[in-house]
Amino acid sequence: MPPRSRCGLEIRMRTILRDDHELFRDQVRRFINTQVVPFHSQWEHEGIVPKSVWLEAGRQGLLCVMTPEVYGGGGGDYGHSAVLIEELARANATALGFTTHSEIVSNYFVAYGSEEQKRRWLPQMAAGALVGAIAMTEPGMGSDLRSIRTFFRRDGDHYVVNGAKAFITNGINSGVVVVVGKVDPQSRDLTLLCVEDGMEGFTKGRKLEKIGLKGQDTSELFFDEVRVPEKNRLGDEGRGFRYLSHQLAWERMIIGIRAAASIETLLQETIDYTRERKIFGQPVLDYQNTRFSLARAKAEATMLRAFIDECLGEILAGNLAPEKAAMAKLLGAEMQNRLLDDFLQLHGGYGFMSEYKIARAWVDARVARIYAGTSEVMKEIIARTL
Ligand SMILES: Cc1cc2nc3c(=O)[nH]c(=O)nc-3n(C[C@H](O)[C@H](O)[C@H](O)COP(=O)(O)OP(=O)(O)OC[C@H]3O[C@@H](n4cnc5c(N)ncnc54)[C@H](O)[C@@H]3O)c2cc1C
């Protein structure tokens, strides 16, 4: 018999992960159970995670797991990152901005950074001493990246940065921000520039009040005549769109990976809850409506898992097509939102109470259809290949 999770979802098909990935999973779970779960509601209340948690994660080797060891990282692969993303999703540990920092920003440095940039930032990021963020979105622009209005004016061996960014994950805690802007305002070409905390004219706005992800640090960033040395440019001038497009496939996969893990966990929670809860003398689970609803959810979860693991295999092999990553994000996010809503309904009034995992997971899941490219933008990407 293949191994099964408690709700009977077969995990046999997960040949994609090796033993070292599963060993790493144990380490991640220990960290989450001891360092995250007991404090998560406090962070949600405060709207931010203390820096000490970043340092502890760094000490335990849980940041920048894909970054080569020579730069202080874990030297792992996409499988290690996937394990981390899955476990954070299972615990609904949405306050931690680790994924943006480790799975996104550090990847930009590894892929496009100069040797000097890698040595300057990556070891500190892996240690949790320096928090990374990426700033594409602006108050007047999100989906249409080419119409960015943050400008990098050349001045000798510096760029002078002017503009504003909105909804930036890790914004308040950030020590280094990959900022997307244009050198030539008339051009559609984008450039990536790393702006560091403390640079004159760089300010962080208010911590944004959100309906979900309440513990996650999301803020606005402002740049007013910030002088940034040329050596802080990431890659070549004008090639930013190409870099973003390349990295966005993985960023979209992250949402799919998270969705699959969240659905599996909350399916089990819902089975447990409806088995215990008795209405009109019988467990809620025994009503045909519940059984059909959960049976369908299990079928969909199984299908999503197969697709996500196929995509994971392709990204590990270096051949995941952008439209397939868009499919993983679109289907994962939409399915997660629909199924979590069904699960919440089966919890009755308790499903609306924040102390229940389903309530928080339901509200936190909503953003999956929006960030890293909206569902509509994902459909556009897929439609281009029709
Ligand atoms: C919690 C949170 C964290 C975030 N973190 C970051 C971050 O760290 N860094 C960062 O840069 N950004 C971040 N974002 C921003 C996020 O990526 C954007 O919100 C998202 O890309 C959508 O952009 P927008 O909000 O400007 O929406 P808009 O682009 O204004 O979209 C409005 C509506 O128009 C639709 N639409 C847009 N284009 C099309 C089209 N071609 N066809 C049909 N419909 C279309 C959209 O789907 C949407 O329904 C974050 C957002 C949130 C909410």
Side-chain angles (χ1 to χ4, degrees), residues 134-137 141-143 167-169 213 367 370-372 374 376:
I134 180 156
M136 299 177 245
T137 310
M141 183 296 306
S143 306
F167 313 141
I168 305 307
T169 304
L213 306 188
V367 75
I370 298 170
Y371 64 8
T374 64
E376 292 71 31

Side-chain angles (χ1 to χ4, degrees), residues 106-238:
S106 65
N107 286 11
Y108 276 86
F109 292 154
V110 172
Y112 314 114
S114 64
E115 189 58 26
E116 185 273 330
Q117 289 172 338
K118 289 177 188 172
R119 295 204 178 271
R120 184 148 48 115
W121 292 316
L122 287 170
Q124 283 199 73
M125 285 178 70
L130 181 77
V131 173
I134 180 156
M136 299 177 245
T137 310
E138 300 183 350
M141 183 296 306
S143 306
D144 181 14
L145 271 179
R146 296 274 198 187
S147 66
I148 265 174
R149 298 192 55 78
T150 294
F151 298 123
F152 305 153
R153 193 179 72 242
R154 262 196 169 279
D155 184 14
D157 58 359
H158 279 69
Y159 291 96
V160 181
V161 181
N162 282 288
K165 296 291 180 182
F167 313 141
I168 305 307
T169 304
N170 294 338
I172 303 269
N173 270 334
S174 64
V176 59
V177 186
V178 177
V179 180
V180 183
K182 286 181 182 174
V183 177
D184 175 3
Q186 307 308 323
S187 156
R188 286 167 59 78
D189 291 339
L190 305 178
T191 297
L192 311 184
L193 209 53
C194 301
V195 177
E196 295 171 85
D197 195 24
M199 285 181 164
E200 207 180 322
F202 171 35
T203 49
K204 297 169 178 179
R206 67 201 162 92
K207 200 167 60 189
L208 298 169
E209 292 287 328
K210 308 185 287 299
I211 60 166
L213 306 188
K214 289 209 176 266
Q216 195 171 103
D217 155 14
T218 313
S219 75
E220 298 164 309
L221 303 177
F222 302 102
F223 309 91
D224 180 15
E225 294 284 298
V226 186
R227 286 182 66 77
V228 180
E230 195 178 10
K231 69 178 172 114
N232 275 27
R233 191 186 66 228
L234 206 53
D236 297 330
E237 203 176 274

Side-chain angles (χ1 to χ4, degrees), residues 78-92:
Y78 285 107
H80 295 94
S81 282
V83 163
L84 194 61
I85 295 160
E86 284 173 13
E87 291 308 314
L88 290 170
R90 286 188 210 285
N92 201 47

Side-chain angles (χ1 to χ4, degrees), residues 298-362:
K298 180 173 170 178
E300 291 192 51
T302 304
M303 188 178 66
L304 182 65
R305 165 61 58 214
F307 180 60
I308 294 294
D309 278 4
E310 181 178 299
C311 293
L312 190 55
E314 289 175 9
I315 203 159
L316 274 161
N319 57 11
L320 177 69
E323 67 272 18
K324 203 160 171 188
M327 291 176 200
K329 185 191 184 270
L330 173 69
L331 294 180
E334 295 288 328
M335 194 184 285
Q336 181 187 18
N337 272 267
R338 183 167 42 78
L339 293 181
L340 263 53
D341 193 66
D342 291 349
F343 298 161
L344 187 149
Q345 186 69 14
L346 290 171
H347 280 72
Y350 290 103
F352 203 66
M353 299 297 126
S354 302
E355 67 201 81
Y356 276 74
K357 204 169 172 180
I358 184 63
R360 279 185 35 241
W362 176 81

Side-chain angles (χ1 to χ4, degrees), residues 1-69:
M1 281 288 283
R4 284 170 180 269
S5 68
R6 281 202 304 138
C7 59
L9 283 167
E10 285 199 16
I11 52 178
R12 174 185 55 181
M13 66 180 79
R14 306 214 68 192
T15 48
I16 200 70
L17 297 178
R18 302 182 305 259
D19 287 351
D20 60 308
H21 293 130
E22 293 305 337
L23 276 173
F24 180 62
R25 188 186 299 282
D26 295 340
Q27 190 188 337
V28 175
R29 279 190 180 162
R30 273 195 301 278
F31 172 80
I32 291 177
N33 289 337
T34 57
Q35 308 291 328
V36 177
V37 173
F39 310 104
H40 203 274
S41 17
Q42 186 189 328
W43 301 337
E44 287 179 33
H45 188 67
E46 289 163 3
I48 201 153
V49 173
K51 286 207 169 164
S52 56
V53 183
W54 288 87
L55 293 170
E56 185 54 34
R59 260 193 298 278
Q60 296 200 22
L62 303 179
L63 298 175
C64 306
V65 295
M66 268 198 282
T67 301
E69 282 166 302

